[in-house]
Amino acid sequence: MEFCRLGSNKLIPLRARLIFATHQDLGKLVADGRFRQDLFYRINVMRIDAPPLQERTEDIPWIARISCASMGNYFKSR
């Protein structure tokens, strides 16, 4: 992926993944002038709507196992 800085035509390579999560309706906040339109445009590339964890309690053991394993590996390597 490449991007241009605002006001520039020079392409700069980028290797990053950004994930944003909110319970707010950002489109409504933009319309109300409470969230920056330019930032919303940049982050609203691919939208994934997921139900809250309280509505999918069957996922909790899996998330706990993955988190514990990840933290164990992190602290084991220190």
Side-chain angles (χ1 to χ4, degrees):
M1 175 180 235
E2 298 176 324
F3 73 98
C4 290
R5 290 193 173 119
L6 292 176
S8 173
N9 292 331
K10 182 181 176 190
L11 288 175
I12 300 171
L14 174 70
R15 291 188 56 186
R17 292 183 185 136
L18 303 174
I19 299 174
F20 299 89
T22 183
H23 65 281
Q24 304 282 327
D25 182 350
L26 294 182
K28 183 176 181 332
L29 292 177
V30 168
D32 293 344
R34 297 178 50 215
F35 192 84
R36 288 180 28 197
Q37 184 176 9
D38 64 312
L39 182 56
F40 179 68
Y41 173 78
R42 291 174 185 274
I43 66 174
N44 196 33
V45 175
M46 186 171 115
R47 183 179 173 121
I48 301 172
D49 290 315
L53 193 55
Q54 67 187 16
E55 293 178 11
R56 47 191 180 91
T57 55
E58 67 277 2
D59 290 346
I60 293 173
W62 178 80
I63 292 170
R65 272 195 308 277
I66 297 297
S67 298
C68 288
S70 177
M71 288 174 34
N73 291 334
Y74 174 78
F75 287 112
K76 201 183 302 182
S77 67
R78 293 191 161 265

Coordinates of all heavy atoms in Angstrom, one line a residue:
M1 N 0.8 -1.2 0.0 CA 0.0 0.0 0.0 C 0.9 1.2 0.0 O 2.0 1.2 0.6 CB -0.9 0.0 1.2 CG -1.7 1.2 1.4 SD -2.8 1.1 2.8 CE -4.3 1.4 2.1
E2 N 0.4 2.3 -0.6 CA 1.1 3.5 -0.7 C 0.2 4.6 -0.4 O -1.0 4.5 -0.5 CB 1.7 3.8 -2.1 CG 2.7 2.7 -2.5 CD 3.2 2.9 -3.9 OE1 2.4 3.4 -4.8 OE2 4.4 2.7 -4.2
F3 N 0.7 5.7 0.1 CA -0.1 6.9 0.4 C 0.7 8.2 0.0 O 1.9 8.1 -0.1 CB -0.5 6.9 1.9 CG 0.6 7.3 2.8 CD1 0.8 8.5 3.3 CD2 1.5 6.3 3.2 CE1 1.8 8.9 4.2 CE2 2.5 6.6 4.1 CZ 2.7 7.9 4.6
C4 N 0.0 9.3 -0.1 CA 0.6 10.6 -0.3 C 0.3 11.4 1.0 O -0.9 11.4 1.5 CB 0.0 11.3 -1.5 SG 0.4 10.6 -3.0
R5 N 1.3 12.2 1.4 CA 1.0 13.1 2.5 C 0.1 14.2 1.9 O 0.1 14.5 0.7 CB 2.3 13.8 2.9 CG 3.2 12.8 3.7 CD 4.3 13.6 4.4 NE 5.0 12.7 5.3 CZ 6.3 12.4 5.2 NH1 7.0 13.0 4.2 NH2 6.9 11.5 6.0
L6 N -0.7 14.8 2.8 CA -1.6 15.9 2.4 C -0.8 17.0 1.7 O 0.2 17.4 2.3 CB -2.4 16.4 3.6 CG -3.4 15.5 4.2 CD1 -4.0 16.1 5.4 CD2 -4.5 15.1 3.2
G7 N -1.2 17.4 0.6 CA -0.5 18.5 -0.2 C 0.7 18.0 -1.0 O 1.4 18.8 -1.6
S8 N 0.9 16.7 -1.1 CA 2.0 16.2 -1.8 C 1.6 15.2 -2.9 O 0.5 14.7 -2.8 CB 3.0 15.5 -0.8 OG 4.0 14.8 -1.6
N9 N 2.4 15.0 -3.9 CA 2.1 14.0 -4.9 C 3.0 12.8 -4.8 O 2.9 11.9 -5.6 CB 2.2 14.6 -6.3 CG 1.1 15.6 -6.6 OD1 0.0 15.5 -6.0 ND2 1.4 16.6 -7.4
K10 N 4.0 12.8 -3.9 CA 5.0 11.8 -3.7 C 4.3 10.6 -3.0 O 3.8 10.7 -1.9 CB 6.2 12.3 -2.9 CG 7.3 11.3 -2.8 CD 8.4 11.8 -2.0 CE 9.4 10.8 -1.8 NZ 10.5 11.2 -0.8
L11 N 4.4 9.4 -3.6 CA 3.9 8.2 -3.0 C 4.9 7.6 -2.0 O 6.1 7.6 -2.3 CB 3.6 7.1 -4.1 CG 2.4 7.3 -5.0 CD1 2.4 6.3 -6.0 CD2 1.2 7.3 -4.1
I12 N 4.4 7.3 -0.8 CA 5.3 6.7 0.2 C 4.8 5.3 0.5 O 3.6 5.1 0.8 CB 5.2 7.6 1.5 CG1 5.6 9.0 1.2 CG2 6.0 7.0 2.6 CD1 5.4 10.0 2.3
P13 N 5.7 4.3 0.5 CA 5.2 2.9 0.8 C 4.8 2.8 2.3 O 5.4 3.4 3.2 CB 6.4 2.1 0.5 CG 7.6 3.0 0.5 CD 7.1 4.4 0.2
L14 N 3.8 2.0 2.5 CA 3.3 1.8 3.9 C 3.0 0.3 4.1 O 2.3 -0.3 3.2 CB 2.1 2.7 4.1 CG 1.4 2.4 5.4 CD1 2.2 3.0 6.6 CD2 0.0 3.1 5.4
R15 N 3.4 -0.2 5.2 CA 3.1 -1.6 5.6 C 2.5 -1.5 7.0 O 3.2 -1.5 8.0 CB 4.3 -2.5 5.5 CG 4.8 -2.8 4.1 CD 5.8 -3.8 4.1 NE 5.3 -5.0 4.7 CZ 6.0 -6.1 5.0 NH1 7.2 -6.2 4.7 NH2 5.4 -7.2 5.5
A16 N 1.2 -1.4 7.1 CA 0.6 -1.2 8.4 C -0.9 -1.7 8.3 O -1.5 -1.7 7.2 CB 0.6 0.2 8.8
R17 N -1.4 -2.1 9.4 CA -2.8 -2.5 9.5 C -3.3 -1.7 10.7 O -2.8 -1.7 11.8 CB -3.0 -4.0 9.8 CG -2.6 -4.8 8.6 CD -2.9 -6.2 8.9 NE -2.4 -7.0 7.8 CZ -1.7 -8.1 7.9 NH1 -1.5 -8.6 9.1 NH2 -1.3 -8.8 6.9
L18 N -4.4 -1.0 10.5 CA -5.1 -0.3 11.5 C -6.5 -0.8 11.7 O -7.2 -1.0 10.7 CB -5.1 1.2 11.2 CG -3.8 1.9 10.9 CD1 -4.0 3.3 10.5 CD2 -2.9 1.9 12.2
I19 N -6.9 -1.0 12.9 CA -8.2 -1.5 13.2 C -8.8 -0.5 14.2 O -8.2 -0.2 15.3 CB -8.2 -2.9 13.8 CG1 -7.6 -3.9 12.8 CG2 -9.6 -3.3 14.3 CD1 -7.4 -5.3 13.4
F20 N -10.0 0.0 13.9 CA -10.7 1.0 14.8 C -11.9 0.3 15.2 O -12.6 -0.3 14.5 CB -11.0 2.2 14.0 CG -9.8 3.0 13.5 CD1 -9.2 2.7 12.3 CD2 -9.2 3.9 14.3 CE1 -8.1 3.3 11.8 CE2 -8.0 4.6 13.8 CZ -7.5 4.3 12.6
A21 N -12.3 0.5 16.5 CA -13.5 0.0 17.0 C -14.2 1.1 17.8 O -13.6 1.8 18.5 CB -13.2 -1.2 17.9
T22 N -15.5 1.1 17.7 CA -16.3 2.1 18.4 C -17.7 1.6 18.5 O -18.2 0.8 17.7 CB -16.2 3.5 17.8 OG1 -16.9 4.4 18.7 CG2 -16.8 3.5 16.4
H23 N -18.4 2.1 19.5 CA -19.8 1.8 19.6 C -20.6 3.0 19.2 O -21.8 3.1 19.3 CB -20.2 1.4 21.1 CG -20.0 2.5 22.1 ND1 -18.8 2.8 22.6 CD2 -20.9 3.3 22.6 CE1 -18.9 3.8 23.4 NE2 -20.1 4.2 23.5
Q24 N -19.9 4.1 18.7 CA -20.5 5.3 18.3 C -20.9 5.2 16.8 O -20.2 4.5 16.0 CB -19.6 6.5 18.5 CG -19.1 6.6 19.9 CD -20.2 7.3 20.8 OE1 -21.0 8.1 20.3 NE2 -20.2 6.9 22.0
D25 N -21.9 5.9 16.3 CA -22.2 6.0 14.9 C -21.4 7.2 14.3 O -21.8 8.3 14.4 CB -23.7 6.3 14.7 CG -24.1 6.4 13.3 OD1 -23.2 6.4 12.4 OD2 -25.3 6.4 13.0
L26 N -20.2 6.8 13.8 CA -19.3 7.9 13.3 C -19.9 8.7 12.2 O -19.6 9.9 12.1 CB -18.0 7.3 12.9 CG -17.1 6.7 14.0 CD1 -15.8 6.1 13.5 CD2 -16.9 7.6 15.1
G27 N -20.7 8.1 11.3 CA -21.3 8.8 10.2 C -22.2 9.9 10.8 O -22.3 11.1 10.3
K28 N -23.0 9.6 11.9 CA -23.8 10.6 12.5 C -23.0 11.7 13.2 O -23.3 12.9 13.1 CB -24.8 9.9 13.5 CG -25.7 10.9 14.2 CD -26.7 10.1 15.1 CE -27.7 11.0 15.8 NZ -27.4 12.4 16.0
L29 N -21.9 11.3 13.8 CA -21.0 12.2 14.5 C -20.4 13.2 13.5 O -20.3 14.4 13.7 CB -19.9 11.5 15.3 CG -20.4 10.8 16.5 CD1 -19.2 10.0 17.2 CD2 -21.1 11.7 17.5
V30 N -20.1 12.7 12.3 CA -19.5 13.6 11.2 C -20.6 14.6 10.8 O -20.4 15.8 10.7 CB -19.1 12.8 10.0 CG1 -18.8 13.6 8.8 CG2 -17.8 12.0 10.4
A31 N -21.8 14.1 10.6 CA -22.9 14.9 10.2 C -23.2 16.0 11.3 O -23.6 17.1 10.9 CB -24.2 14.1 9.9
D32 N -23.1 15.6 12.5 CA -23.3 16.6 13.6 C -22.1 17.5 13.9 O -22.2 18.4 14.7 CB -23.6 15.9 14.9 CG -24.9 15.1 14.9 OD1 -25.7 15.4 14.0 OD2 -25.1 14.2 15.7
G33 N -21.0 17.3 13.1 CA -19.8 18.1 13.3 C -19.0 17.8 14.5 O -18.2 18.5 15.0
R34 N -19.2 16.5 15.1 CA -18.5 16.1 16.3 C -17.3 15.2 16.0 O -16.7 14.7 16.9 CB -19.5 15.5 17.3 CG -20.5 16.5 17.7 CD -21.6 16.0 18.6 NE -21.0 15.2 19.7 CZ -21.5 14.1 20.3 NH1 -22.6 13.6 19.8 NH2 -20.9 13.5 21.3
F35 N -17.1 14.8 14.7 CA -16.0 13.9 14.3 C -15.5 14.4 13.0 O -16.3 14.8 12.1 CB -16.5 12.5 14.2 CG -15.4 11.5 14.1 CD1 -14.7 11.0 15.2 CD2 -14.9 11.0 12.9 CE1 -13.7 10.1 15.1 CE2 -13.9 10.1 12.7 CZ -13.3 9.7 13.9
R36 N -14.2 14.4 12.8 CA -13.6 15.0 11.6 C -13.9 14.2 10.4 O -13.7 12.9 10.3 CB -12.1 15.0 11.8 CG -11.6 16.0 12.8 CD -10.1 16.0 12.9 NE -9.3 15.6 11.7 CZ -8.1 15.2 11.8 NH1 -7.4 15.3 12.9 NH2 -7.5 14.9 10.7
Q37 N -14.4 14.8 9.4 CA -14.9 14.2 8.2 C -13.7 13.6 7.4 O -13.8 12.5 6.9 CB -15.6 15.2 7.3 CG -16.1 14.5 6.0 CD -16.9 15.5 5.2 OE1 -16.9 16.7 5.4 NE2 -17.6 15.0 4.1
D38 N -12.5 14.3 7.4 CA -11.4 13.7 6.7 C -10.8 12.5 7.4 O -10.4 11.5 6.7 CB -10.2 14.8 6.6 CG -9.7 15.2 8.0 OD1 -10.5 15.5 8.9 OD2 -8.5 15.2 8.1
L39 N -10.9 12.4 8.7 CA -10.4 11.2 9.4 C -11.4 10.0 9.1 O -11.0 8.9 8.9 CB -10.3 11.5 10.9 CG -9.8 10.3 11.7 CD1 -8.5 9.8 11.3 CD2 -9.7 10.8 13.2
F40 N -12.7 10.3 9.2 CA -13.7 9.3 8.9 C -13.5 8.8 7.5 O -13.6 7.5 7.3 CB -15.1 9.9 9.1 CG -16.2 8.9 8.8 CD1 -16.4 7.9 9.7 CD2 -17.0 9.1 7.7 CE1 -17.4 7.0 9.4 CE2 -18.1 8.2 7.5 CZ -18.3 7.1 8.3
Y41 N -13.3 9.6 6.5 CA -13.1 9.2 5.2 C -11.9 8.2 5.1 O -11.9 7.2 4.4 CB -12.8 10.4 4.3 CG -12.4 10.0 2.9 CD1 -13.4 9.6 1.9 CD2 -11.1 10.1 2.5 CE1 -13.0 9.3 0.6 CE2 -10.7 9.8 1.2 CZ -11.7 9.4 0.3 OH -11.3 9.0 -1.0
R42 N -10.8 8.5 5.8 CA -9.6 7.7 5.7 C -9.8 6.3 6.4 O -9.2 5.3 6.0 CB -8.4 8.4 6.3 CG -8.0 9.6 5.5 CD -6.9 10.4 6.2 NE -6.6 11.5 5.4 CZ -5.7 11.6 4.4 NH1 -5.1 10.5 4.0 NH2 -5.5 12.7 3.7
I43 N -10.5 6.3 7.5 CA -10.7 5.0 8.3 C -11.9 4.2 7.9 O -12.0 3.0 8.2 CB -10.7 5.3 9.8 CG1 -11.9 6.0 10.2 CG2 -9.4 6.0 10.3 CD1 -12.1 6.1 11.7
N44 N -12.8 4.7 7.1 CA -14.0 4.0 6.7 C -13.8 3.3 5.4 O -14.7 3.4 4.5 CB -15.2 5.0 6.7 CG -16.5 4.3 6.7 OD1 -16.6 3.2 7.3 ND2 -17.5 4.9 6.0
V45 N -12.7 2.6 5.2 CA -12.4 1.9 4.0 C -13.2 0.6 4.0 O -13.8 0.2 3.0 CB -10.9 1.7 3.9 CG1 -10.6 0.8 2.7 CG2 -10.2 3.0 3.8
M46 N -13.1 -0.2 5.0 CA -13.8 -1.5 5.1 C -14.5 -1.6 6.5 O -13.8 -1.5 7.5 CB -12.8 -2.6 4.9 CG -13.4 -4.0 4.8 SD -12.2 -5.2 4.4 CE -12.2 -6.2 5.8
R47 N -15.7 -1.8 6.4 CA -16.5 -1.8 7.7 C -16.9 -3.2 8.0 O -17.4 -4.0 7.1 CB -17.7 -0.9 7.5 CG -18.5 -0.8 8.8 CD -19.7 0.1 8.5 NE -20.6 0.0 9.6 CZ -21.0 1.1 10.4 NH1 -20.5 2.2 10.0 NH2 -21.8 0.9 11.4
I48 N -16.7 -3.6 9.2 CA -17.1 -4.9 9.7 C -17.9 -4.7 11.0 O -17.5 -4.2 12.0 CB -15.9 -5.8 10.1 CG1 -15.0 -6.0 8.9 CG2 -16.3 -7.2 10.7 CD1 -13.7 -6.7 9.2
D49 N -19.2 -5.0 10.8 CA -20.1 -4.9 12.0 C -20.1 -6.3 12.7 O -20.4 -7.3 12.1 CB -21.5 -4.5 11.5 CG -21.6 -3.1 11.0 OD1 -21.0 -2.2 11.7 OD2 -22.2 -2.9 10.0
A50 N -19.8 -6.2 14.0 CA -19.9 -7.4 14.8 C -20.7 -7.2 16.0 O -20.7 -6.1 16.6 CB -18.4 -7.8 15.2
P51 N -21.5 -8.2 16.4 CA -22.3 -8.0 17.7 C -21.4 -7.9 18.9 O -20.3 -8.4 18.9 CB -23.2 -9.2 17.7 CG -22.5 -10.2 16.9 CD -21.7 -9.5 15.8
P52 N -21.8 -7.2 19.9 CA -21.0 -7.1 21.1 C -20.8 -8.5 21.8 O -21.5 -9.4 21.6 CB -21.8 -6.2 22.1 CG -23.2 -6.2 21.5 CD -23.1 -6.5 20.1
L53 N -19.7 -8.6 22.5 CA -19.3 -9.9 23.1 C -20.4 -10.4 24.0 O -20.6 -11.6 24.2 CB -18.0 -9.7 23.9 CG -17.3 -11.0 24.4 CD1 -17.0 -11.9 23.2 CD2 -16.0 -10.6 25.0
Q54 N -21.2 -9.5 24.7 CA -22.2 -10.0 25.6 C -23.3 -10.8 24.8 O -24.1 -11.5 25.4 CB -22.9 -8.9 26.3 CG -23.6 -7.8 25.5 CD -24.0 -6.6 26.3 OE1 -23.5 -6.4 27.4 NE2 -24.9 -5.9 25.8
E55 N -23.4 -10.6 23.5 CA -24.4 -11.3 22.6 C -23.8 -12.6 22.0 O -24.5 -13.3 21.4 CB -24.9 -10.4 21.5 CG -25.7 -9.2 22.0 CD -26.2 -8.3 20.9 OE1 -26.0 -8.7 19.7 OE2 -26.7 -7.2 21.2
R56 N -22.5 -12.8 22.2 CA -21.9 -14.0 21.7 C -20.9 -14.6 22.8 O -19.7 -14.7 22.6 CB -21.1 -13.7 20.4 CG -20.3 -12.5 20.4 CD -19.8 -12.1 19.0 NE -19.0 -10.9 19.1 CZ -17.7 -11.0 19.2 NH1 -17.0 -12.1 19.2 NH2 -17.0 -9.8 19.3
T57 N -21.5 -15.0 23.9 CA -20.8 -15.5 25.0 C -20.0 -16.8 24.7 O -19.0 -17.1 25.4 CB -21.7 -15.7 26.2 OG1 -22.8 -16.6 25.8 CG2 -22.3 -14.4 26.7
E58 N -20.4 -17.5 23.7 CA -19.7 -18.7 23.3 C -18.3 -18.4 22.8 O -17.5 -19.3 22.8 CB -20.5 -19.5 22.2 CG -20.6 -18.8 20.9 CD -21.7 -17.8 20.7 OE1 -22.4 -17.5 21.7 OE2 -21.8 -17.2 19.6
D59 N -18.0 -17.2 22.4 CA -16.7 -16.8 22.0 C -15.7 -16.5 23.1 O -14.5 -16.5 22.9 CB -16.7 -15.6 21.1 CG -17.4 -15.8 19.7 OD1 -17.5 -17.0 19.4 OD2 -17.7 -14.9 19.0
I60 N -16.2 -16.3 24.3 CA -15.4 -15.9 25.5 C -14.3 -16.9 25.8 O -13.1 -16.5 25.9 CB -16.2 -15.6 26.7 CG1 -17.1 -14.3 26.4 CG2 -15.4 -15.3 27.9 CD1 -18.1 -13.9 27.4
P61 N -14.6 -18.2 25.9 CA -13.5 -19.2 26.2 C -12.4 -19.2 25.1 O -11.2 -19.2 25.4 CB -14.2 -20.5 26.2 CG -15.6 -20.2 26.5 CD -15.9 -18.9 25.9
W62 N -12.8 -19.1 23.9 CA -11.8 -19.0 22.8 C -10.9 -17.8 22.9 O -9.7 -17.9 22.8 CB -12.5 -19.1 21.4 CG -11.5 -19.0 20.3 CD1 -10.8 -20.0 19.7 CD2 -11.2 -17.8 19.5 NE1 -10.0 -19.5 18.7 CE2 -10.3 -18.2 18.5 CE3 -11.6 -16.5 19.6 CZ2 -9.8 -17.3 17.6 CZ3 -11.1 -15.6 18.7 CH2 -10.2 -16.0 17.7
I63 N -11.5 -16.6 23.1 CA -10.7 -15.4 23.3 C -9.8 -15.5 24.5 O -8.7 -15.0 24.4 CB -11.7 -14.2 23.4 CG1 -12.4 -14.0 22.0 CG2 -11.0 -12.9 23.8 CD1 -13.6 -13.0 22.1
A64 N -10.3 -16.0 25.6 CA -9.5 -16.2 26.8 C -8.3 -17.1 26.5 O -7.1 -16.7 26.9 CB -10.3 -16.7 27.9
R65 N -8.5 -18.2 25.8 CA -7.3 -19.1 25.5 C -6.3 -18.4 24.6 O -5.1 -18.5 24.9 CB -7.9 -20.4 24.8 CG -8.3 -21.5 25.7 CD -8.5 -22.8 25.0 NE -9.3 -22.7 23.8 CZ -10.6 -22.8 23.8 NH1 -11.3 -22.9 25.0 NH2 -11.4 -22.7 22.7
I66 N -6.8 -17.8 23.6 CA -5.8 -17.1 22.7 C -5.1 -16.0 23.4 O -3.8 -15.8 23.2 CB -6.6 -16.5 21.5 CG1 -7.3 -17.6 20.6 CG2 -5.7 -15.6 20.6 CD1 -6.3 -18.5 20.0
S67 N -5.8 -15.2 24.2 CA -5.1 -14.1 25.0 C -4.1 -14.7 26.0 O -3.0 -14.1 26.0 CB -6.1 -13.3 25.7 OG -7.0 -12.7 24.8
C68 N -4.4 -15.7 26.7 CA -3.5 -16.3 27.7 C -2.3 -16.9 27.0 O -1.1 -16.7 27.4 CB -4.2 -17.4 28.5 SG -5.4 -16.7 29.7
A69 N -2.5 -17.6 25.9 CA -1.4 -18.1 25.1 C -0.5 -17.0 24.6 O 0.8 -17.2 24.7 CB -1.9 -19.0 23.9
S70 N -1.0 -16.0 24.1 CA -0.2 -14.9 23.5 C 0.6 -14.2 24.7 O 1.8 -13.9 24.5 CB -1.2 -13.9 22.9 OG -0.4 -12.8 22.4
M71 N -0.1 -14.0 25.8 CA 0.6 -13.3 26.9 C 1.7 -14.3 27.4 O 2.8 -13.8 27.8 CB -0.4 -13.0 28.0 CG -1.2 -11.8 27.6 SD -2.5 -11.3 28.7 CE -1.9 -11.7 30.3
G72 N 1.4 -15.6 27.5 CA 2.4 -16.5 28.0 C 3.7 -16.5 27.1 O 4.8 -16.5 27.6
N73 N 3.5 -16.5 25.8 CA 4.6 -16.5 24.8 C 5.4 -15.2 25.0 O 6.6 -15.2 24.9 CB 4.1 -16.6 23.4 CG 3.6 -18.0 23.1 OD1 4.0 -19.0 23.7 ND2 2.7 -18.1 22.1
Y74 N 4.7 -14.1 25.2 CA 5.3 -12.8 25.4 C 6.2 -12.8 26.6 O 7.4 -12.4 26.5 CB 4.3 -11.7 25.5 CG 4.8 -10.3 25.8 CD1 5.4 -9.5 24.8 CD2 4.8 -9.8 27.1 CE1 6.0 -8.3 25.0 CE2 5.3 -8.5 27.3 CZ 5.9 -7.8 26.3 OH 6.4 -6.6 26.6
F75 N 5.7 -13.2 27.7 CA 6.5 -13.2 28.9 C 7.5 -14.3 29.0 O 8.6 -14.1 29.7 CB 5.5 -13.3 30.2 CG 4.8 -12.0 30.4 CD1 3.4 -12.0 30.2 CD2 5.5 -10.8 30.8 CE1 2.7 -10.8 30.4 CE2 4.8 -9.7 31.0 CZ 3.4 -9.6 30.8
K76 N 7.3 -15.4 28.3 CA 8.3 -16.4 28.2 C 9.6 -16.0 27.5 O 10.7 -16.4 27.8 CB 7.7 -17.7 27.5 CG 8.4 -18.9 27.8 CD 7.8 -20.1 27.0 CE 6.4 -20.3 27.3 NZ 5.8 -21.4 26.6
S77 N 9.4 -15.1 26.5 CA 10.5 -14.6 25.7 C 11.3 -13.5 26.4 O 12.3 -13.1 25.9 CB 10.0 -14.2 24.3 OG 9.2 -13.0 24.5
R78 N 10.8 -13.0 27.5 CA 11.5 -12.0 28.2 C 12.5 -12.5 29.2 O 12.5 -13.3 29.9 CB 10.5 -11.0 28.8 CG 9.8 -10.3 27.8 CD 9.0 -9.2 28.4 NE 8.6 -8.3 27.3 CZ 9.3 -7.2 27.0 NH1 10.3 -6.8 27.6 NH2 8.9 -6.5 26.0

